[in-house]
Amino acid sequence: MGATPSAERVSLLLGLGVLMLATLPRYLAAGLETRQSLMLMALAVVAIATLLQWRMLEDAARARLPGLLCRLVLCLGAGAVFMTAWHALTSDFFGWELVASHGATLGLLLHALWLWWRPTRA
């Protein structure tokens, strides 16, 4: 609990918020109002946590944030493209709601792995 705020953490929280927003159309289309309400409540908590983390960032970390957000958008786009291709090859039917939620999930995972993997310097 005593971890210092970082730009990486804020970018992951923003990605989590995007992921939660991407799942809402699936719940809306399926008529799952209870799950949709729970997701909206969880989204509000994540938004508050993101705002608090952002407010505690130092200036140097805030300067790194635009580059990390660009990476996040790139990963979310790659996730959407990959999931579109995957569902086109393996499924009979898929809707944009499924591609959006699965693509956002894969994109956030790629972003987290990209942040975690740091090449060793020789």
Side-chain angles (χ1 to χ4, degrees):
M1 284 274 181
T4 59
S6 66
E8 291 80 7
R9 187 173 293 136
V10 172
S11 72
L12 285 171
L13 283 169
L14 284 171
L16 182 60
V18 169
L19 171 62
M20 294 170 114
L21 283 172
T23 61
L24 289 176
R26 285 183 68 193
Y27 295 148
L28 184 62
L32 302 171
E33 290 85 13
T34 304
R35 288 185 185 181
Q36 186 179 6
S37 298
L38 289 171
M39 186 62 71
L40 286 170
M41 286 184 254
L43 180 60
V45 171
V46 169
I48 291 169
T50 304
L51 182 64
L52 291 174
Q53 289 286 314
W54 179 76
R55 289 182 54 92
M56 292 189 293
L57 280 180
E58 296 176 0
D59 291 336
R62 283 188 188 185
R64 283 195 336 264
L65 198 54
L68 290 171
L69 294 180
C70 185
R71 262 199 222 178
L72 175 63
V73 169
L74 179 69
C75 289
L76 290 172
V81 167
F82 184 78
M83 280 295 125
T84 301
W86 178 262
H87 284 292
L89 291 173
T90 62
S91 302
D92 291 337
F93 173 77
F94 62 95
W96 68 269
E97 301 94 352
L98 187 67
V99 170
S101 66
H102 287 184
T105 302
L106 179 61
L108 183 59
L109 179 62
L110 290 172
H111 181 63
L113 289 174
W114 194 351
L115 291 175
W116 177 63
W117 179 72
R118 301 205 194 268
T120 56
R121 302 194 196 277

